Amino acid sequence: MILKRALHYAHELMADVLTTGDVAIDGTCGNGHDTQFISQLVGQSGYIYGFDVQEEAITNTKQRLIDHQLIEQTTLIHDSHAAIEQHIPDDHLRRLKAAIFNLGYLPGSDKSVITEADHTLSSIQSILSYIQKGGLVVLVVYYGHPGGEEEKTALLNYVSRLDQRHYNVLQHGFINQRNQPPFILAIEKK
């Protein structure tokens, strides 16, 4: 397939911006796939902070990182991604190059525990205030669940108002697929 699905394209965007030694955030660890991928991109001289509100997600991610010998350059935080400033040291916030979020719920888990618009928007605003020029925030937006449509609407309203002199915002997704396919919002800081 030439056209990239959301997760594959999100990883491609991360690979385009992150290099060895960079600092990044995985705002929603989930089962650890993004955290693992980004840890490989930033290497042992870089660093990644992974957040999730579910202990199961932190446990799954930690095991994945241990299995792939990537735990040394990672801090996993059992808290909302809205709390980045409480958990990331200032020197790493100033070096922040990218962040990724898979919004919705943890696959194979309790579908009533979801990301929420107010936390997500707070996190994005914090990240955008720190992220380096040329840095990127990638949001994979899953919205086919209760509460998902509200988060999607809030995100689209917010990112569409970002000043084009300071940010480029891209929306990428399939428009002819059934069952509310995920889409990407990518915010590049100029």
Side-chain angles (χ1 to χ4, degrees), residues 46-59:
Y47 213 83
I48 181 165
Y49 292 87
F51 290 81
D52 210 292
V53 296
Q54 294 187 72
E55 186 64 40
E56 178 183 359
I58 297 297
T59 300

Side-chain angles (χ1 to χ4, degrees), residues 111-138:
K111 293 181 182 182
S112 70
V113 180
I114 61 171
T115 55
E116 298 175 11
D118 56 341
H119 289 199
T120 302
L121 292 174
S122 175
S123 181
I124 294 167
Q125 290 166 353
S126 292
I127 289 168
L128 291 178
S129 71
Y130 290 105
I131 203 162
Q132 297 176 358
K133 288 185 179 182
L136 192 65
V137 178
V138 175

Side-chain angles (χ1 to χ4, degrees), residues 168-181:
N168 289 319
V169 181
L170 167 79
Q171 183 175 355
H172 168 90
F174 293 99
I175 60 173
N176 68 334
Q177 293 182 357
R178 292 179 282 145
N179 301 323
Q180 301 162 309

Side-chain angles (χ1 to χ4, degrees), residues 92-156:
H92 276 186
L93 284 171
R94 288 191 301 274
R95 290 180 45 215
L96 185 59
K97 189 68 174 279
I100 190 167
F101 296 78
N102 278 298
L103 303 174
Y105 57 86
L106 177 62
S109 188
D110 183 354
K111 293 181 182 182
S112 70
V113 180
I114 61 171
T115 55
E116 298 175 11
D118 56 341
H119 289 199
T120 302
L121 292 174
S122 175
S123 181
I124 294 167
Q125 290 166 353
S126 292
I127 289 168
L128 291 178
S129 71
Y130 290 105
I131 203 162
Q132 297 176 358
K133 288 185 179 182
L136 192 65
V137 178
V138 175
L139 304 142
V140 182
V141 183
Y142 292 87
Y143 60 99
H145 58 277
E149 193 68 40
E150 291 82 359
E151 186 174 41
K152 170 191 155 187
T153 300
L155 285 168
L156 288 171

